[in-house]
Amino acid sequence: MTRPTAALLLLAALAAGCSRSGAVNSPATPAEPAADARTVFEKRILPIFKSPDPSSCVQCHLAGVDLKHYIRPSHEETFVSLRDQGLVDLDDPGKSKILALIQMGADDQAGAELIPAKTRKAEYEAFAAWLAAAATDPKLRAAPKLPAADLAGPKRPVEVVRHARTDRLLASFENTVWAMRFRCMGCHTEGTAENKKLVEEHGERVAWVKAAGPAATLAYLRASNLIDADKPEDSLLLKKPLNAVKHGGGQKFLPGDQGYKAYRAFLDDYARTVKDGYPDAKSLPKPDAGPRKFGTDIWLKLENTPPDWGDRLAQVDVYAWDAAKGAWEPDPIATADRGVWGKGRLWQHNLTLLAAKGSDRAKAWAANGPSLPKGRYLLKAYVDRKGRLAKDWTAKLDRDDYAGQVEVTSDWRTGYGKMTAADAGKVR
Ligand code: HEC
Ligand code: HEC
């Protein structure tokens, strides 16, 4: 049974601040404490238990844990269950951990829009009033322990509770949709000159990349009709850039390209998370072992592309020269993919910079913005001649699709007008 696990871990996490050793108050004994506490429970806690509405926890926990999970139909059992998990402070009920959990999001502005302050206040006041009454009942205080399997707590194991946290969701969003925003932001970033023009024509909806950053953009998208949590692959956020639903910006994604992969992985995981579709730790997506991705406005073009690249998806990986080792770095420092313009014999796109998670390079780019130093670089080109990615969006271009390599020297200035160019005719 996984049920008590998360609750017990929580206990451990919160134990540091635990202050129950000190003053040992003798239990007060008012006239009819049990009846009083029971009335409060039935009037104020049971409605929370029975309500179809989410509790304040959803502000940060998309699934896996809810205030309801800590409540049992009976007043006695609920109290003993909370008591046994260390969530009640018998001597100072106002300091109970369950109250701290309810207060967790009280000063979090971003999430506050999702949960009205009055929901949290009502939960807090109901639990505070009930615990104050129940903790004075000597019978409840002394009631025998519940068997571990009867403890009421999170429905999902702790790994799932963690995966479904909104801060984890934001981290995943930043490394997927947000990292790929450069393909879209010219037209869709709120407040830019181009966006203002488009807003006049199409309305506020085209301003979906929020000037305030990734958290604001994610909050907007979650509340919009652009994500279809029932069928994530049908989300407008994917179908518009594919031009599968007519798109004012034309076709921006090819099925299976890096932008598509990033959006699709985010949408699939988001939908499954909010549908509580991960029953256990092993059903969770594998942790992304790949590098951290940084979108940029650094452009690269390959001119004079060979005829057999024409209108295929081509990917270019960029390798930096390691002067100390006298060799190319083993992992690409940047990548980009895009359909080749066969008639114009041209491939061009903006680069996504890559750095191992936690590396000095990743830290520096996160702090100061991503950039590439001036120097020698090796470009390795892959061309999807067999149309593999259109058939299976999860497929990756590999050795079989390798078209060759060419060296460039560049200072990688940013902006479409300052593009680094290489001759695809020299790719061997
Ligand atoms: C403002 C955001 C926020 C709100 C609201 C919130 N939590 Fe949490 N919760 C967190 C964070 C962040 C963690 C991880 C804390 C840590 O690891 O130190 C966490 C951890 C937990 C854990 C421990 C799981 C683990 O990783 O060990 C449980 C259980 C939990 N919360 C339950 C609740 C319940 C029940 C509510 C509603 C009454 C709630 N939380 C409301 C942010 C929140
Ligand atoms: C050249 C400008 C341009 C670019 C670049 C562009 N779009 Fe658009 N997009 C538009 C215009 C104009 C509309 C409004 C008309 C329409 O709905 O198609 C639009 C609408 C949308 C909508 C519908 C918004 C709504 O709420 O109805 C989505 C979603 C969208 N684009 C996604 C994207 C994504 C994702 C990218 C990048 C991969 C992108 N667009 C790049 C011009 C652009």
Side-chain angles (χ1 to χ4, degrees):
M1 209 34 226
T2 49
R3 184 178 285 160
T5 320
L8 291 175
L9 268 165
L10 167 69
L11 208 187
L14 294 171
C18 186
S19 67
R20 67 153 59 139
S21 51
V24 182
N25 303 332
S26 56
T29 45
E32 274 193 298
D36 200 19
R38 173 174 294 114
T39 310
V40 178
F41 182 83
E42 280 163 7
K43 285 217 174 110
R44 298 176 70 177
I45 309 277
L46 268 188
I48 299 174
F49 182 57
K50 290 182 180 154
S51 166
D53 299 333
S55 73
S56 62
C57 318
V58 301
Q59 181 178 318
C60 304
H61 297 280
L62 295 169
V65 65
D66 191 280
L67 191 52
K68 292 182 186 62
H69 299 159
Y70 294 88
I71 306 174
R72 283 284 153 111
S74 104
H75 141 77
E76 290 85 357
E77 221 186 313
T78 305
F79 185 83
V80 177
S81 165
L82 290 171
R83 182 202 67 185
D84 290 357
Q85 296 175 76
L87 295 169
V88 178
D89 186 330
L90 290 177
D91 300 323
D92 194 351
K95 291 210 177 114
S96 297
K97 307 287 184 269
I98 188 76
L99 295 178
L101 280 182
I102 297 169
Q103 280 299 74
M104 253 172 140
D107 39 45
D108 170 38
Q109 287 305 316
E113 296 147 26
L114 298 171
I115 292 295
K118 71 179 197 323
T119 303
R120 172 169 296 107
K121 190 161 174 274
E123 289 170 6
Y124 184 87
E125 285 173 357
F127 270 83
W130 171 62
L131 288 173
T136 58
D137 179 352
K139 268 195 241 121
L140 282 181
R141 291 173 66 106
K145 274 186 182 251
L146 286 178
D150 288 351
L151 294 175
K155 175 161 81 126
R156 298 297 188 201
V158 67
E159 294 85 351
V160 176
V161 171
R162 286 177 185 165
H163 181 77
R165 264 179 17 220
T166 47
D167 56 331
R168 298 286 178 97
L169 181 75
L170 178 59
S172 145
F173 182 77
E174 285 175 348
N175 211 34
T176 53
V177 176
W178 190 252
M180 290 294 163
R181 72 194 179 284
F182 283 82
R183 299 185 176 205
C184 327
M185 62 193 277
C187 297
H188 286 301
T189 304
E190 185 184 28
T192 60
E194 182 62 24
N195 184 249
K196 279 187 188 151
K197 261 192 269 161
L198 292 176
V199 165
E200 260 173 44
E201 206 178 318
H202 302 278
E204 283 298 330
R205 66 189 177 90
V206 289
W208 61 264
V209 179
K210 295 295 162 191
T217 304
L218 176 58
Y220 173 83
L221 290 173
R222 285 180 61 197
S224 76
N225 66 344
L226 298 178
I227 298 181
D228 183 342
D230 293 316
K231 285 186 112 193
E233 68 276 23
D234 283 352
S235 299
L236 280 174
L237 196 55
L238 210 48
K239 295 199 124 180
K240 281 277 176 181
L242 281 172
N243 213 14
V245 172
K246 200 172 170 336
H247 179 216
Q251 185 169 24
K252 293 283 149 203
F253 286 171
L254 293 172
D257 73 11
Q258 290 170 354
Y260 181 94
K261 277 195 174 79
Y263 274 55
R264 179 72 190 269
F266 173 79
L267 289 167
D268 282 1
D269 179 45
Y270 173 75
R272 196 161 167 193
T273 300
V274 296
K275 296 277 173 187
D276 192 22
Y278 295 114
D280 48 31
K282 69 176 190 304
S283 62
L284 291 170
K286 281 194 212 79
D288 177 5
R292 195 163 157 192
K293 303 187 183 90
F294 298 82
T296 72
D297 197 30
I298 300 171
W299 286 75
L300 172 65
K301 69 175 166 187
L302 296 187
E303 294 160 320
N304 195 21
T305 53
D308 71 330
W309 291 22
D311 303 318
R312 300 293 184 190
L313 180 70
Q315 174 179 327
V316 177
D317 291 346
V318 181
Y319 292 80
W321 178 252
D322 183 340
K325 293 208 172 114
W328 299 111
E329 289 185 0
D331 298 313
I333 193 168
T335 186
D337 70 354
R338 190 78 185 266
V340 176
W341 180 32
K343 231 165 124 195
R345 303 192 62 184
L346 178 68
W347 175 96
Q348 63 181 30
H349 205 38
N350 60 308
L351 295 180
T352 302
L353 269 48
L354 310 170
K357 291 197 181 101
S359 64
D360 289 347
R361 191 176 271 165
K363 282 179 205 147
W365 286 349
N368 312 320
S371 64
L372 292 176
K374 186 176 173 177
R376 287 172 68 192
Y377 292 83
L378 186 67
L379 310 179
K380 290 191 178 184
Y382 300 82
V383 180
D384 188 8
R385 295 189 180 90
K386 299 180 203 120
R388 292 201 296 125
L389 298 193
K391 280 178 224 133
D392 172 12
W393 73 269
T394 64
K396 290 190 180 119
L397 297 184
D398 58 23
R399 292 174 100 118
D400 290 350
D401 313 294
Y402 183 59
Q405 61 189 48
V406 64
E407 205 182 308
V408 287
T409 298
S410 178
D411 57 359
W412 302 107
R413 284 190 291 161
T414 55
Y416 183 81
K418 296 174 184 150
M419 204 173 307
T420 296
D423 183 356
K426 294 199 174 127
V427 166
R428 301 267 179 278

